[in-house]
Amino acid sequence: MNSNPSTIAPANTQYSNGGHVVFWIGTSNLAVGSTMQVADGLADMDCILNCDSTSRLPPSSSEDSYLELPIVGSKDERFSLLNNLPKAVSFAKKNLIARRKMLLCCQNGEDISICVALAIITRLFSDTGCFDCGESFMRRDVTKLEMRKRLVFICKYAVNARPSRGNLRQVYGFLCNEKEQLPC
C-alpha cells in the first residue's frame, strides 16, 4: 500500500462518541469498532455491517443500510467467516459505490471485523488504497505477503486489531477462491 498522505491518511483516524472509539481505515469510508457503537448509534455512519452473532438489528435500520452476519470465531465454528465473506464483500461493494460511510463491527472490534475489513480492502481496493470495485484484484496474485501488507495498513489505523490466525486463514481461502472464479 502506498503511504501517500493525500490518498490514505485521513484528517482524523479515530472518532469517539460517548467514550466508544471507532477506527477509520484511511480514506476508505470503512471504520471498525465493537457492537457497542451499533447500540449507541453513530450519526456519521451511513451503513453498518454487523458481524456479531449476539446482537440484533436496530429498529430504525433498512435493508440497504444494515447487514447482520452472525459470524463466530474460528475456535467455535471453523468456516463461519469464510461462509459469510461473499455477502459481506457484496454489501460493502454496493455501499462503497454509493460513497457511504460504513461501520464494520463485531463483539470486540478486534478480530472478526478486522478480518472482514481485510477481505474488503484486498478484494475491492487498489495497492494505493483507492476503491476500484476490484479491478486491481483481477490483475494481481493473491499471496500471503499481499494480505500481510494490507493487514499492516489496517493496523496503522485500528490500533487494537488482534485477528486470530484461524480467521486470517479463512480470509486467505476466500480470496483464493474469489480469484479462481474470475474469468480468464
Side-chain angles (χ1 to χ4, degrees):
M1 305 289 274
N2 181 353
S3 60
N4 178 353
S6 65
T7 308
I8 296 186
N12 183 7
T13 58
Q14 290 190 127
Y15 170 77
S16 181
N17 181 26
H20 301 291
V21 178
V22 172
F23 297 97
W24 288 99
I25 302 171
T27 56
S28 66
N29 275 348
L30 297 173
V32 292
S34 76
T35 50
M36 289 184 171
Q37 280 78 36
V38 174
D40 293 343
L42 292 174
D44 285 358
M45 299 299 163
D46 298 319
C47 54
I48 297 170
L49 176 52
N50 181 3
C51 303
D52 187 351
S53 62
T54 61
S55 69
R56 297 292 157 238
L57 175 71
S60 63
S61 295
S62 72
E63 271 185 38
D64 293 338
S65 65
Y66 184 90
L67 178 62
E68 185 176 301
L69 298 174
I71 302 171
V72 296
S74 60
K75 290 181 181 179
D76 297 321
E77 189 179 321
R78 195 168 173 188
F79 299 111
S80 180
L81 179 60
L82 179 67
N83 293 335
N84 283 288
L85 280 174
K87 290 178 195 167
V89 171
S90 176
F91 179 79
K93 184 176 182 178
K94 177 177 68 172
N95 283 289
L96 290 168
I97 287 171
R99 300 185 189 275
R100 293 186 179 133
K101 293 180 183 176
M102 180 183 309
L103 173 64
L104 308 171
C105 57
C106 64
Q107 192 168 16
N108 62 15
E110 300 173 358
D111 183 8
I112 293 171
S113 59
I114 299 298
C115 289
V116 171
L118 177 60
I120 292 168
I121 285 177
T122 305
R123 180 66 179 89
L124 301 176
F125 286 76
S126 71
D127 293 340
T128 59
C130 297
F131 176 71
D132 70 358
C133 280
E135 291 295 319
S136 61
F137 181 78
M138 290 191 264
R139 292 187 302 272
R140 71 174 179 262
D141 291 331
V142 175
T143 65
K144 290 181 181 178
L145 178 61
E146 287 298 315
M147 263 188 51
R148 191 174 301 126
K149 286 179 189 177
R150 283 164 180 74
L151 182 59
V152 167
F153 168 73
I154 291 168
C155 291
K156 283 183 358 184
Y157 301 101
V159 295
N160 67 337
R162 285 187 245 139
S164 69
R165 287 180 68 196
N167 286 338
L168 289 172
R169 273 190 236 118
Q170 291 181 66
V171 172
Y172 182 70
F174 163 75
L175 293 169
C176 289
N177 187 44
E178 286 284 292
K179 191 68 177 179
E180 288 174 5
Q181 292 182 9
L182 289 174
C184 295

